[in-house]
């Protein structure tokens, strides 16, 4: 009994010592000591994408180490001007003020479209409605239209599904659709909008509930739901989202995702961005629910 | 070190170590609870300064635009908890009475472990069943706009609370001295009269403890409610709000804490919600503790 206890204590101590020694060794395998560091920071929407790219690139180029952090597009560009990072991620084009700030510091900002983000508006497959204007979708999510019959459907209540507020998709949908892209507009999602924690939750409820309308990144859409054609403000052309309509800019709820650099990229940064535009890296884009850049 | 101890004065040394270890673990849990409360208060109380009181009890919860009303979340949690307990209490006590008083020995031996197994079901699994089965079923059966509603959450939470209620209430019923039942039966009471008039009232404080712990379990449950209640922070307007989407405090913390900037107002408000939850469950547990202590004293009195 007693000796067992002693053995156990020794084992436990040994294990602790071992684990304490082994953890730093795991992080830095001596075989490949990284020589090039790339700092990448910015848009929260792009964090997962940037991480996936960095992981794949590092596994193919062990000499390169890429660190990816979020914080928002603005934070990324500020850090770029501070020269603390090499590549900024931006889910919007660089603003004129940012270009001016950069010019004062003698920096020229270069933005490269690395992926596109499109949001599909989805309903139950049996819903007779197959197209809506941007204004109608906005009114639905603000709570001004509450019955499908008001937009040419059956007499059913509308159940609005949204991603959680911490999702980049939620914020983009709020700005682009609910507020129709108007700056200073204070409209919000109607309080009875369901906030679902995952894409799967939205697809599951939409494919099951004929009252539902939801939205999600184009890449997450499955055949169990019906995608609506959407027309831009002031246009009567209803466009279905697809890789082509997103790339030619005709589908209204889509935006470009950028990587921003100081001046034209050179060296390791250039190699990395060239790789990102390759078909291998663009496959990761589709896997994560974004739209690849067509060239 | 250890080997020398073993040779010279092994027994007292190891015993001393074990005693101290047990002592330390005992004190540690007190220290941890203390530290958790200090942490919660220090992170949550700034919200009371940063957000005006009128806004904290306003109508909207939309933190990314600075709407920090915890009122919809508070009432959502309370509405779901109360309904869940109303559903779970009769079923739970019924099951406990059946297991303890009526069921023959062999059924008892099957039922008890099964109820405990139910308690061990991860709530995520129940949430899945909720999404795939309960949500579509309730939408059709009750003709609701959507099955993702407070009522679905209440059903699932009731399901989660039942094992807690059953096992504690069953213990309480078992603790009622056999002489009570014998006396009642000797006076000519039927089995039902004995249960309803003597056994259950005698176990009353234990059953109340079961109720309190059931409430605690329900109030703190996160995953299952997050999956089935729809998470719409609507301020409930009446009883029919139960059949509409709701958002609970726990689901709010779980879904928003991961992305919030440390030290921001949103972060502090989330901790304030945590404080509110902590106070609720502390109160519920304190009541349960007092009740079960009273039961012990009563049992001691009976034995003497």
């Amino acid at each position: 009994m007693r000796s067992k206890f002693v053995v156990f204590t020794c084992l436990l101590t040994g294990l602790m010592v071992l684990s304490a020694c082994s953890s730093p060794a795991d992080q830095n395998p001596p075989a490949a000591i990284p020589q090039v560091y790339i700092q990448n920071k910015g848009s929260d929407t792009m964090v997962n994408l940037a991480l996936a790219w960095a992981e794949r690139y590092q596994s193919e180029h062990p000499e390169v180490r890429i660190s990816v952090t979020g914080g928002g597009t603005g934070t990324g560009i500020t850090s770029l001007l501070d020269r603390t990072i090499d590549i900024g991620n931006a889910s919007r084009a660089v603003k004129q003020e940012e270009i001016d700030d950069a010019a004062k510091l003698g920096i020229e900002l270069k933005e490269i479209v690395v992926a596109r983000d499109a949001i599909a508006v989805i309903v139950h497959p049996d819903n007779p409605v197959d197209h809506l204007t941007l204004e109608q979708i906005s009114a639905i999510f603000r709570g001004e239209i509450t019955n499908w019959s008001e937009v040419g459907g059956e007499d059913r209540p509308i159940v609005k599904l949204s991603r959680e507020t911490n999702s980049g998709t939620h914020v983009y949908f709020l700005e682009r659709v609910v507020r129709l892209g108007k700056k200073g507009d204070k409209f919000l999602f109607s309080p009875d909008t369901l906030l679902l924690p995952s894409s799967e939750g939205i697809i599951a409820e939409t494919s099951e509930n004929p009252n539902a309308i939801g939205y999600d990144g184009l890449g997450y859409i499955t055949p169990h739901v019906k995608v609506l054609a959407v027309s831009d403000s002031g246009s009567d052309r209803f466009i279905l989202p697809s890789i082509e309509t997103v790339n030619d800019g005709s589908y209204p709820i889509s935006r470009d995702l950028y990587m921003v650099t100081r001046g034209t990229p050179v060296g390791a940064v250039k190699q990395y961005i060239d790789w990102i535009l390759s078909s291998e890296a663009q496959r990761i884009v589709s896997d994560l629910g974004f739209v690849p850049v067509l060239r | 070190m250890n080997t020398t101890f073993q040779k010279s004065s092994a027994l007292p040394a190891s015993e001393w170590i074990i005693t101290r270890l047990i002592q330390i673990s005992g004190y540690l849990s007190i220290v941890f609870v203390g530290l958790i409360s200090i942490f919660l208060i220090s992170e949550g109380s700034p919200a009371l300064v940063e957000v005006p009181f009128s806004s904290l009890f306003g109508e909207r919860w939309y933190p990314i635009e600075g709407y920090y009303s915890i009122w919809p979340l508070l009432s959502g949690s309370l509405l779901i908890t109360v309904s869940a307990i109303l559903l779970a209490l009769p079923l739970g006590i019924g099951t406990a009475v059946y297991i303890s008083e009526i069921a023959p020995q062999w059924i008892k031996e099957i039922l008890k472990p099964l109820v405990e197994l139910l308690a061990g079901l991860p709530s995520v699994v129940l949430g899945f069943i909720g999404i795939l089965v309960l949500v579509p079923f309730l939408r059709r059966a009750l003709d609701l706009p959507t099955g993702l509603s407070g009522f679905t959450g209440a059903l699932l939470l009731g399901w989660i609370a039942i094992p807690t209620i059953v096992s504690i209430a069953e213990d309480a019923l078992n603790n009622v001295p056999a002489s009570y039942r014998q006396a009642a039966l000797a006076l000519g009471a039927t089995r039902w009269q004995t249960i309803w008039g003597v056994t259950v009232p005698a176990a009353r404080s234990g059953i109340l403890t079961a109720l309190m712990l059931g409430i605690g379990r329900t109030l703190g449950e996160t995953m299952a409610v997050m999956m089935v209640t729809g998470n719409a922070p609507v301020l409930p307007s009446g009883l029919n709000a139960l059949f509409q989407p709701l958002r609970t405090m726990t689901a709010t913390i779980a879904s928003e804490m991961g992305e919030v900037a440390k030290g921001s107002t949103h972060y502090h408000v989330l901790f304030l919600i945590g404080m509110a939850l902590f106070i609720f469950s502390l109160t519920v547990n304190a009541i349960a503790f007092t009740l079960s202590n009273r039961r012990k004293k009563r049992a001691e009195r009976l034995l003497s």
Side-chain angles (χ1 to χ4, degrees):
Chain A
M1 208 29 207
R2 197 192 322 137
S3 64
K4 257 187 195 162
F5 173 73
V6 171
V7 168
F8 177 71
T9 319
C10 294
L11 268 177
L12 205 70
T13 323
L15 216 69
M16 281 174 178
V17 171
L18 263 179
S19 61
C21 292
S22 64
S23 51
D26 284 346
Q27 282 160 8
N28 279 324
I33 298 153
Q35 285 138 9
V36 185
Y37 291 89
I38 298 178
Q39 303 285 337
N40 183 199
K41 187 176 184 175
S43 162
D44 288 319
T45 314
M46 291 169 68
V47 160
N48 288 334
L49 181 61
L51 272 174
W53 276 331
E55 272 167 30
R56 177 74 64 85
Y57 192 72
Q58 286 176 106
S59 70
E60 288 169 14
H61 300 80
E63 76 285 0
V64 181
R65 193 144 290 267
I66 303 165
S67 79
V68 178
T69 39
T73 301
T75 318
I77 291 177
T78 313
S79 313
L80 202 62
L81 299 184
D82 293 344
R83 296 178 182 276
T84 50
I85 61 167
D86 307 293
I87 305 175
N89 298 333
S91 55
R92 54 166 169 79
V94 178
K95 289 181 193 162
Q96 190 57 45
E97 303 99 78
E98 288 161 345
I99 296 174
D100 295 343
D101 286 347
K104 275 178 214 152
L105 297 164
I107 298 170
E108 188 199 359
L109 293 177
K110 281 271 180 215
E111 49 184 32
I112 301 123
V113 177
V114 288
R116 296 182 215 269
D117 185 14
I119 295 178
V121 179
I122 52 174
V123 295
H124 189 270
D126 294 343
N127 193 327
V129 175
D130 57 9
H131 62 271
L132 289 172
T133 66
L134 219 49
E135 280 76 10
Q136 283 174 322
I137 302 172
S138 168
I140 287 174
F141 277 93
R142 288 177 193 177
E144 288 158 15
I145 295 178
T146 54
N147 196 298
W148 279 111
S149 62
E150 293 172 62
V151 289
E154 294 164 350
D155 179 23
R156 291 176 169 281
I158 299 182
V159 172
K160 306 171 277 283
L161 310 174
S162 162
R163 293 289 303 276
E164 269 290 351
T165 49
N166 54 28
S167 138
T169 315
H170 175 104
V171 177
Y172 177 54
F173 194 81
L174 174 71
E175 288 166 357
R176 178 71 185 100
V177 182
V178 178
R179 295 177 176 169
L180 296 166
K182 291 176 196 144
K183 294 259 154 52
D185 198 323
K186 283 285 160 225
F187 279 114
L188 298 177
F189 282 92
S190 154
D192 61 355
T193 306
L194 277 67
L195 300 173
L196 302 187
S198 65
S199 286
E200 290 76 21
I202 289 180
I203 302 281
E205 174 69 2
T206 314
S207 59
E208 191 279 317
N209 187 347
N211 304 324
I213 183 169
Y215 66 87
D216 210 345
L218 185 57
Y220 293 119
I221 304 302
T222 65
H224 306 295
V225 294
K226 182 160 126 187
V227 178
L228 294 185
V230 180
S231 79
D232 203 351
S233 318
S235 152
D236 53 0
R237 266 185 354 119
F238 291 92
I239 314 248
L240 273 170
S242 68
I243 292 179
E244 289 73 30
T245 55
V246 170
N247 267 286
D248 67 20
S250 56
Y251 182 69
I253 320 173
S254 69
R255 59 178 167 175
D256 295 342
L257 302 176
Y258 304 89
M259 278 192 162
V260 188
T261 54
R262 281 186 302 271
T264 312
V266 287
V269 173
K270 178 178 168 21
Q271 278 174 16
Y272 183 46
I273 289 180
D274 285 347
W275 175 82
I276 281 172
L277 295 173
S278 72
S279 58
E280 183 196 357
Q282 291 295 315
R283 255 199 306 282
I284 300 178
V285 173
S286 338
D287 290 347
L288 289 180
F290 295 102
V291 179
V293 183
L294 286 185
R295 287 198 298 168
Chain B
M1 276 273 280
N2 279 328
T3 43
T4 45
F5 274 136
Q6 200 180 7
K7 270 175 198 162
S8 55
S9 54
L11 200 75
S14 61
E15 223 159 66
W16 184 85
I17 292 172
I18 291 169
T19 318
R20 289 295 159 266
L21 275 179
I22 292 170
Q23 202 173 21
I24 289 169
S25 3
Y27 287 138
L28 265 188
S29 56
I30 300 174
V31 171
F32 282 147
V33 171
L35 286 179
I36 289 171
S37 349
I38 293 171
F39 184 67
L40 268 181
I41 292 169
S42 74
E43 297 287 344
S45 49
L48 292 171
V49 184
E50 286 163 13
V51 185
F53 217 66
S54 57
S55 166
L56 218 48
F57 289 94
E59 287 193 352
R60 277 214 76 147
W61 172 262
Y62 197 69
I64 54 173
E65 295 273 329
Y67 294 85
Y68 293 116
S69 170
I70 60 172
W71 200 225
L73 315 175
L74 210 71
S75 37
S77 269
L78 289 182
L79 190 60
I80 290 183
T81 305
V82 169
S83 344
I85 289 299
L86 285 180
L87 291 167
L89 197 63
L91 274 173
I93 292 178
T95 315
V97 166
Y98 177 73
I99 293 180
S100 152
E101 305 294 311
I102 299 164
Q105 192 61 31
W106 66 273
I107 293 187
K108 203 184 279 192
E109 274 164 18
I110 298 173
L111 270 185
K112 264 213 101 169
L114 272 183
V115 167
E116 269 144 33
L117 196 72
L118 198 64
L121 260 183
S123 58
V124 162
V125 174
L126 281 175
F128 258 125
I129 297 174
I131 277 195
L132 294 176
V133 182
L134 211 53
V135 168
F137 171 75
L138 283 177
R139 183 177 62 77
R140 289 199 194 92
L142 302 177
D143 193 27
L144 300 171
T146 171
L148 294 165
S149 67
F151 184 67
T152 321
L155 273 184
L156 270 190
L157 282 183
W159 186 260
I160 288 170
I162 283 175
T164 313
I165 295 179
V166 171
S167 60
I168 294 169
E170 204 254 348
D171 283 348
L173 288 169
N174 270 344
N175 281 345
V176 174
S179 54
Y180 275 43
R181 294 183 195 93
Q182 289 156 2
L185 292 170
L187 286 172
T190 60
R191 200 182 204 184
W192 166 248
Q193 286 168 329
T194 310
I195 292 170
W196 191 243
V198 178
T199 323
V200 170
R204 195 176 51 221
S205 56
I207 290 173
L208 281 174
T209 312
L211 167 70
M212 287 300 150
L213 291 178
I215 292 178
R217 181 86 175 81
T218 315
L219 200 61
E221 177 50 44
T222 308
M223 210 50 220
V225 279
M226 190 157 97
M227 289 165 88
V228 300
T229 54
N231 296 325
V234 190
L235 194 60
S237 49
L239 265 185
N240 64 332
L242 186 62
F243 295 96
Q244 286 162 8
L246 283 176
R247 192 180 179 97
T248 64
M249 299 193 279
T250 46
T252 304
I253 297 178
S255 59
E256 292 174 12
M257 192 49 102
E259 306 278 337
V260 75
K262 197 170 180 285
S264 63
T265 308
H266 186 189
Y267 174 86
H268 291 313
V269 175
L270 286 182
F271 268 98
L272 189 72
I273 297 172
M275 259 166 77
L277 266 175
F278 190 63
I279 292 168
F280 273 133
S281 48
L282 207 67
T283 319
V284 166
N285 276 322
I287 295 173
F289 183 72
T290 336
L291 287 175
S292 66
N293 256 13
R294 206 201 289 165
R295 185 185 62 176
K296 248 181 227 155
K297 276 180 203 139
R298 195 187 153 87
E300 277 158 43
R301 206 170 57 229
L302 284 167
L303 286 173
S304 62

